[in-house]
Amino acid sequence: MRVVSLLPSATEILHAIGAGDDVVGVTFECDFPQTARTTARVVSTSALPDGLTPAQIDAAVAERMRAGEDIYRLDRQALLGLDADVVVTQDLCAVCAVDVSEVHDALDFLGCTADVVTTDPSTLEAVWASVEQIGRATGRLAEARRLAADLRERTAAVRRSVAGASPVRCLVLEWTDPPFAPGHWVPEMVETAGGVSVLGEVGAPSTRTTWDAVRACAPDVVVSAPCGFDLARSAELTRELLAHAALPAGVPVWAVDANASFARPGPRLADGIEALAAIMHADHAGTPDPQIAVRLR
């Protein structure tokens, strides 16, 4: 089995179910496990220049989408010769990975008959089911079912741990300039961890909002999880918000590793749920993993 993964989350899943040695192609963002990009060919890169601020990234993405231009580049020459049996991609978010139509066009151009596995999870259960979907496509169904069962049990365990606690009004920011309300599985992560997501809707896309709306939603805690950024960069961006008094006053503010445990629909969402429970309900769930979350106020 020769697999090309066009999603960081799919790469994580493939390694977690024991199919890591089968992965022959990945994206430039596939950084977990750390060996992912050193043992496979990089076949997808970003069309955006390096070093942009969040505001500049937002403007560049919006402009490319208005113009009908791709945000990611699929390297057809890199694909050539990989002789893939399976290509894993997504049809969920236009700014998350190569568009699935581009994948089909490239495979047709190369004369490749690989099976294209398209994942489209927008809820936690759909994420866990996508683990099984990828396992089925790669001959690792038993391993995938075990992993999915473990993720479901970890989620259920968090629910049980906070069952007696009063719900905490939690604001998760999925982008910092401009502010974005969370979408897809993130509001559900908050609810699973014993909170109320004061902005955003379970299963719906993340949405642009305003700082007036952020302040008016009256959260008990703010969690900054800018999509695509690790903990260090998330903390840096959140400190900038605090310095400019952009966030609601008088409430705790946390920065989290959005890349690892919030933005990518893979196994580490369970880590993010556990971290949220600890942020909102320390008496019930202990303290959050310092590699995932840091309190800034």
Side-chain angles (χ1 to χ4, degrees), residues 9-167:
S9 57
T11 300
E12 295 184 24
I13 290 168
L14 287 160
H15 281 266
I17 63 176
D21 290 343
D22 298 335
V23 179
V24 295
V26 295
T27 81
F28 75 108
E29 292 179 308
C30 292
D31 54 10
F32 188 87
Q34 292 182 347
T35 57
R37 284 181 301 201
T38 62
T39 57
R41 185 179 301 174
V42 174
V43 299
S44 172
T45 57
S46 175
L48 302 182
D50 293 333
L52 299 182
T53 66
Q56 290 169 334
I57 292 172
D58 177 73
V61 167
E63 177 59 31
R64 295 190 74 89
M65 292 185 71
R66 280 194 297 269
E69 298 175 351
D70 292 329
I71 298 169
Y72 293 87
R73 296 192 182 102
L74 185 61
D75 188 339
R76 297 186 178 192
Q77 286 302 117
L79 272 175
L80 195 64
L82 287 182
D83 194 23
D85 300 301
V86 175
V87 177
V88 185
T89 185
Q90 60 92 44
D91 195 21
L92 177 70
C93 175
V95 300
C96 293
V98 177
D99 187 271
V100 65
S101 63
E102 168 64 13
V103 176
H104 284 290
D105 289 346
L107 295 179
D108 289 344
F109 175 79
L110 296 171
C112 180
T113 58
D115 291 331
V116 178
V117 177
T118 304
T119 65
D120 191 20
S122 58
T123 64
L124 289 175
E125 177 52 36
V127 174
W128 311 151
S130 75
V131 172
E132 297 173 336
Q133 177 190 9
I134 292 172
R136 185 177 296 107
T138 56
R140 301 275 181 169
L141 183 55
E143 296 92 332
R145 282 176 170 166
R146 284 195 292 271
L147 175 59
D150 177 66
L151 294 168
R152 291 183 178 106
E153 172 52 32
R154 286 177 64 186
T155 305
V158 172
R159 286 190 184 275
R160 291 192 297 268
S161 73
V162 299
S166 298

Side-chain angles (χ1 to χ4, degrees), residues 203-219:
S206 58
T207 55
R208 189 186 300 261
T209 187
T210 66
W211 288 117
D212 285 343
V214 166
R215 286 184 283 269
C217 70

Side-chain angles (χ1 to χ4, degrees), residues 205-244:
S206 58
T207 55
R208 189 186 300 261
T209 187
T210 66
W211 288 117
D212 285 343
V214 166
R215 286 184 283 269
C217 70
D220 299 317
V221 63
V222 174
V223 175
S224 179
C227 183
F229 291 106
D230 63 12
L231 179 58
R233 186 72 174 114
S234 175
E236 181 182 347
L237 294 173
T238 308
R239 289 189 181 97
E240 292 176 7
L241 296 181
L242 289 170
H244 290 90

